[in-house]
Amino acid sequence: MDTMEGLYEFFKKLRDSIASKTESVTKQFKDGLEKTRKGLVEKVSDLVIRRKKIDEEFYEELEEILIGADVGVNTVMNLIEDLRVEVKKRKIEDAAELQPVLSEKLTGLLRGEQNNELKMNPNGITVILFVGVNGVGKTTTIGKLAHRFKQQGKKVIMAAGDTFRAGAIEQLEVWGQRAGVDVIKQQSGSDPAAVMYDAVQAAKQRGADVLLCDTAGRLQNKSNLMDELNKIYRVIQREIPDAPHEVLMVLDATTGQNALNQAKLFGEKSGVTGLVLTKLDGTAKGGIVVAIRQELDLPVKLVGLGEKIDDLQPFDSEQFVHALFAGLIQEQPAESAEEEEANS
């Protein structure tokens, strides 16, 4: 059975590449994506067992499951079309044989050519600016990233540039205490650009490696917000010419398509270089990562996989797919070994 052997091979490669990665990270991806695994992969497995045969009804149900997991309508249509082609080409009749093909396709959709590593400044202070609407987990993300850099032995400073939201400055200070990182701030309601100026000066004086800047998620009106960001850019660039090195837009994965729309609206105007998807553990719609990869020309750089301080992880497409299809992957190679024995 050549087709199946080829597919087992795909799973084996995925497993081998995961094997070299830290077990704790693999576990975080698995735990964080458990709801999506149930909402997407287990539903597909049930469909395969129920239908057995690949017919129109099968494709329709599969389409519904994928759209329900927020994979995105356009992406789903293309994916189903691809599957139809593969089914004809490989002469697949049994629905069970389609599962590995689907996982292979999803991996392809998630991979992309973009580099999803954070861009660091090789000579001097790395400035990372965070943008995004209120309530998406922006301040929490900054705190967790500060902790991450601190663990790597870097000197980190945070700037409380969200001076408009009640409690935002205090929230960042709490994270500063938890991570053991200094926070540069002014009074609530003060000029965010002035806070950034202070923060850059402090970063220079204290020999910081990384400066993480919070910004307002909402002002009195929208155009205002872009002006505010442009002012922040100018202040930072005057002091550190090639900064900010990253502008990360934080999105709440539990809002699904809404997060995608936010990124489309906001990303075009504000010079966003990458995305952070928070709260993936809180949703069964983790398929939104696939939709974002397909519909936006922006890499997902970090994902939030839980409540703990170290649950913010660099996005890794292999870990992501492995976490979703882990159950299937474990079953496959054993089966293939039995087949080999039977064939020998």
Side-chain angles (χ1 to χ4, degrees):
M1 281 181 70
D2 288 347
T3 54
M4 288 314 273
E5 272 169 31
L7 300 170
Y8 292 142
E9 197 49 42
F10 160 73
F11 276 129
K12 191 175 172 306
K13 259 192 239 149
L14 190 58
R15 251 224 336 237
D16 292 348
S17 71
I18 296 292
S20 64
K21 297 177 182 175
T22 333
E23 250 173 65
S24 62
V25 174
T26 300
K27 186 178 184 316
Q28 278 179 338
F29 270 88
K30 269 192 187 168
D31 293 350
L33 291 167
E34 192 179 348
K35 285 186 180 173
T36 299
R37 183 165 61 241
K38 290 201 162 92
L40 175 61
V41 181
E42 289 185 12
K43 280 187 181 168
V44 173
S45 297
D46 290 347
L47 170 65
V48 164
I49 292 161
R50 253 196 0 263
R51 287 232 170 253
K52 292 193 173 61
K53 203 163 112 292
I54 301 172
D55 52 17
E56 271 318 300
E57 280 90 0
F58 176 86
Y59 284 123
E60 270 173 34
E61 269 197 65
L62 183 58
E63 207 172 279
E64 273 172 36
I65 293 168
L66 291 166
I67 290 172
D70 261 345
V71 173
V73 178
N74 299 342
T75 310
V76 171
M77 295 309 184
N78 294 337
L79 187 59
I80 297 283
E81 209 39 59
D82 277 359
L83 286 176
R84 286 177 189 271
V85 171
E86 287 294 317
V87 165
K88 283 203 180 83
K89 198 172 83 187
R90 301 191 195 191
K91 298 190 172 60
I92 297 172
E93 286 173 15
D94 183 357
E97 290 183 43
L98 203 57
Q99 259 179 321
V101 186
L102 178 62
S103 21
E104 198 174 349
K105 295 274 175 217
L106 285 173
T107 312
L109 292 176
L110 279 166
R111 278 235 171 93
E113 294 309 304
Q114 291 154 321
N115 180 2
N116 58 352
E117 282 180 23
L118 289 175
K119 185 169 166 263
M120 304 299 283
N121 183 1
N123 15 324
I125 303 163
T126 298
V127 181
I128 302 179
L129 204 62
F130 290 82
V131 299
V133 303
N134 293 340
V136 292
K138 193 163 41 139
T139 311
T140 301
T141 298
I142 297 169
K144 287 181 178 181
L145 191 59
H147 166 76
R148 193 179 175 85
F149 281 134
K150 186 95 191 290
Q151 298 295 98
Q152 292 167 2
K154 290 182 169 62
K155 184 164 175 52
V156 186
I157 286 180
M158 298 194 285
D162 185 356
T163 57
F164 295 94
R165 180 169 65 87
I169 298 169
E170 291 78 358
Q171 197 187 348
L172 201 64
E173 283 186 297
V174 170
W175 275 106
Q177 285 156 7
R178 283 182 75 182
V181 164
D182 290 349
V183 176
I184 306 299
K185 58 164 188 166
Q186 290 187 11
Q187 279 94 359
S188 187
S190 56
D191 179 2
V195 178
M196 294 309 167
Y197 178 81
D198 287 354
V200 172
Q201 298 308 325
K204 284 180 168 179
Q205 284 157 11
R206 299 175 199 181
D209 302 301
V210 184
L211 173 62
L212 303 176
C213 307
D214 197 2
T215 67
R218 192 176 291 118
L219 301 188
Q220 289 67 23
N221 63 46
K222 280 278 167 27
S223 65
N224 221 333
L225 189 55
M226 290 306 158
D227 296 345
E228 202 60 66
L229 277 174
N230 288 329
K231 210 160 104 185
I232 287 171
Y233 283 140
R234 286 198 300 276
V235 167
I236 292 173
Q237 273 157 4
R238 238 189 343 247
E239 302 300 315
I240 302 172
D242 55 347
H245 303 90
E246 288 277 10
V247 180
L248 298 180
M249 179 165 189
V250 184
L251 300 168
D252 174 350
T254 62
T255 64
Q257 290 296 316
N258 198 357
L260 183 62
N261 296 335
Q262 267 170 33
K264 279 180 181 166
L265 278 172
F266 207 88
E268 286 161 11
K269 296 187 194 142
S270 56
V272 170
T273 55
L275 304 171
V276 182
L277 268 174
T278 62
K279 311 181 195 179
L280 266 170
D281 56 309
T283 179
K285 292 176 180 284
I288 193 63
V289 179
V290 181
I292 283 171
R293 281 289 308 107
Q294 289 307 297
E295 293 189 36
L296 290 177
D297 198 23
L298 287 170
V300 175
K301 299 227 168 187
L302 298 160
V303 286
L305 297 163
E307 302 286 318
K308 296 198 285 293
I309 197 164
D310 57 356
D311 278 335
L312 182 75
Q313 288 292 335
F315 176 66
D316 179 331
S317 59
E318 288 182 335
Q319 288 279 23
F320 190 90
V321 174
H322 177 266
L324 288 186
F325 292 93
L328 294 177
I329 297 167
Q330 275 145 20
E331 291 154 24
Q332 305 295 9
E335 226 173 281
S336 124
E338 280 164 27
E339 268 185 24
E340 269 171 37
E341 223 169 88
N343 295 338
S344 60

